């Protein structure tokens, strides 16, 4: 399957051979993505006046760094990138959000979703967010 690589700084898509190994790798990375999202949700709920604020923020930052390291390893293994290519990736994915977005895309592709399905899901999600009542 061909996976777009523009977000990583490459003009041509990468060809990835579907396999159980890549599918399992994608599942493990998806778990990490979900845990990171949960941590960010938790961070939104904690207030600076909370006694454990500094500890919570420190844990979140350490988890974010680990997530970024794991995410880069995931991309390197999935696409079989060499060190020079990894430098290109690191310079194009600017923060943990852009990395997480791209990893989510790659995971969906590895798990069998087409680019059209992914785009339709993203469009539907944007529309749902737009239609939500801001008072809730």
């Amino acid at each position: 399957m061909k996976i777009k690589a523009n977000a990583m700084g490459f003009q041509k898509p990468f060809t990835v051979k579907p396999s159980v190994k890549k599918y399992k790798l994608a599942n493990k990375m998806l778990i990490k993505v979900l845990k990171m999202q949960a941590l960010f949700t938790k961070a939104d709920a904690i207030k600076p006046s909370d006694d454990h604020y500094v500890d919570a923020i420190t844990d979140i930052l350490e988890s974010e760094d680990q997530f970024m390291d794991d995410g880069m390893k995931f991309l390197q293994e999935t696409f079989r990138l060499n060190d020079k290519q990894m430098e290109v990736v690191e310079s194009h994915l600017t923060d943990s959000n852009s990395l997480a977005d791209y990893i989510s895309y790659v995971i969906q592709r590895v798990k069998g979703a087409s680019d059209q399905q992914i785009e339709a899901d993203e469009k539907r999600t944007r529309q749902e967010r737009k239609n939500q009542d801001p008072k809730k």
Side-chain angles (χ1 to χ4, degrees):
M1 83 184 80
K2 299 233 183 244
I3 299 179
K4 294 178 189 175
N6 302 52
M8 292 193 309
F10 301 101
Q11 297 305 314
K12 294 181 180 180
F14 282 91
T15 300
V16 175
K17 182 181 177 189
S19 68
V20 170
K21 181 179 180 179
K22 289 212 177 13
Y23 196 90
K24 288 174 68 174
L25 185 65
N27 280 342
K28 289 177 183 177
M29 194 64 221
L30 180 57
I31 291 167
K32 292 174 185 179
V33 168
L34 295 172
K35 286 182 178 181
M36 198 67 225
Q37 288 174 339
L39 274 176
F40 283 134
T41 300
K42 181 180 173 182
D44 290 341
I46 195 163
K47 305 218 180 319
S49 59
D50 189 310
D51 291 339
H52 303 288
Y53 179 77
V54 173
D55 292 335
I57 297 302
T58 302
D59 289 345
I60 290 166
L61 291 173
E62 289 172 348
S63 296
E64 183 179 29
D65 284 348
Q66 185 62 52
F67 169 77
M68 290 172 44
D69 289 344
D70 292 344
M72 295 303 286
K73 288 176 187 171
F74 168 75
L75 294 175
Q76 186 171 27
E77 189 168 335
T78 300
F79 296 118
R80 296 183 182 167
L81 302 173
N82 61 37
D83 290 341
K84 187 172 182 164
Q85 289 170 315
M86 287 304 295
E87 288 178 23
V88 172
V89 174
E90 289 174 349
S91 67
H92 278 81
L93 295 171
T94 57
D95 57 23
S96 61
N97 287 333
S98 63
L99 177 62
D101 289 345
Y102 186 66
I103 287 172
S104 293
Y105 163 73
V106 173
I107 289 169
Q108 291 176 71
R109 291 292 287 128
V110 168
K111 291 174 92 44
S114 69
D115 283 328
Q116 294 79 9
Q117 289 170 320
I118 294 168
E119 288 171 18
D121 287 345
E122 288 174 356
K123 184 177 180 180
R124 186 173 37 258
T125 301
R126 282 192 303 271
Q127 190 63 35
E128 287 172 0
R129 286 183 187 150
K130 185 178 177 182
N131 292 337
Q132 283 181 344
D133 184 1
K135 296 178 184 178
K136 289 185 179 180

